[in-house]
Amino acid sequence: MSNSPTGGPPLAADPLTRAVLELDEYAAGFGWDRPPRLFALVDTAQLRAQEPGLAQRLDLGADDGADSGAGFAAGPAAQVSYTPIEQQELPEGQPLDEFLATIAWPDAVGGCALTVERLMLPPAAEAEVPGDLDEEGLAAWVAEHPRREEVRLTVGVLRDGSREAALRLRSKDAPTEVLTGPELVPGLARALAATFD
């Protein structure tokens, strides 16, 4: 049984998980070999109340919370949903960790998310990594490895410390094949969470 509604991202009960999955699906619509994308996550109800003009442009109607904004959840958390707002393109050539260290979000932003493509190796290949490589050498070594996998990572964090990640393999590029979990990309989640310090 699929947990993916027709033409949309997989269902998720947690608002942050839902937002991350919707952003993964959004990024998938642009195809592969794309630059990183950064998003502010804003509480949809607060956005409608504080920025009605923007909410109208984003088609966030006052009474259709179930269909508006990422992260809608049924049940007790039904009051919370997050609307992603894409930020300007990330600077080309600047390391991602250095760029993230320059970000400070205004109070109205409840969280943030990032999509980024990377090459990964299966855990069994870690024993093969030469110990004498610098970061650039390691990247080149991974790029040439026969078992490398191209992946798209979508990681989201909230001010309260909640985190979620989605991992999509290029070789299994389908919404039903996306892996999720809060600890899939802990280093990137920590770097995003630090933007709220």
Side-chain angles (χ1 to χ4, degrees):
M1 172 194 244
S2 171
N3 70 345
S4 181
T6 304
L11 299 174
D14 180 75
L16 180 57
T17 303
R18 176 74 180 214
V20 165
L21 288 170
E22 288 189 9
L23 287 171
D24 169 75
E25 189 69 14
Y26 172 75
F30 292 98
W32 289 86
D33 304 317
R34 310 300 282 174
R37 302 173 97 106
L38 181 66
F39 301 85
L41 298 177
V42 180
D43 181 291
T44 303
Q46 287 181 359
L47 179 64
R48 282 195 297 258
Q50 295 173 0
E51 298 287 342
L54 177 59
Q56 186 174 11
R57 283 195 308 266
L58 295 173
D59 197 24
L60 303 176
D63 297 324
D64 62 352
D67 298 319
S68 300
F72 179 78
Q79 307 306 342
V80 179
S81 67
Y82 295 103
T83 297
I85 300 174
E86 189 164 3
Q87 305 301 292
Q88 293 181 359
E89 198 168 295
L90 279 63
E92 204 171 310
Q94 183 176 16
L96 187 57
D97 57 341
E98 289 179 17
F99 171 71
L100 291 176
T102 68
I103 296 175
W105 297 102
D107 291 340
V109 174
C112 66
L114 179 83
T115 63
V116 63
E117 295 176 13
R118 291 287 184 255
L119 292 176
M120 295 182 80
L121 293 176
E126 289 181 20
E128 301 170 24
V129 177
D132 60 344
L133 296 177
D134 61 9
E135 191 172 322
E136 192 174 296
L138 178 60
W141 185 84
V142 170
E144 296 298 321
H145 196 281
R147 292 189 294 168
R148 72 186 178 277
E149 284 277 0
E150 293 179 71
V151 299
R152 179 180 302 113
L153 307 168
T154 304
V155 180
V157 300
L158 299 178
R159 280 187 187 274
D160 69 6
S162 302
R163 57 179 64 179
E164 187 63 70
L167 186 146
R168 181 184 290 243
L169 300 172
R170 190 172 191 160
S171 62
K172 296 182 180 184
D173 193 4
T176 57
E177 297 291 333
V178 175
L179 304 173
T180 61
E183 296 300 324
L184 285 177
V185 194
L188 184 52
R190 279 191 301 275
L192 287 171
T195 65
F196 292 102
D197 290 344

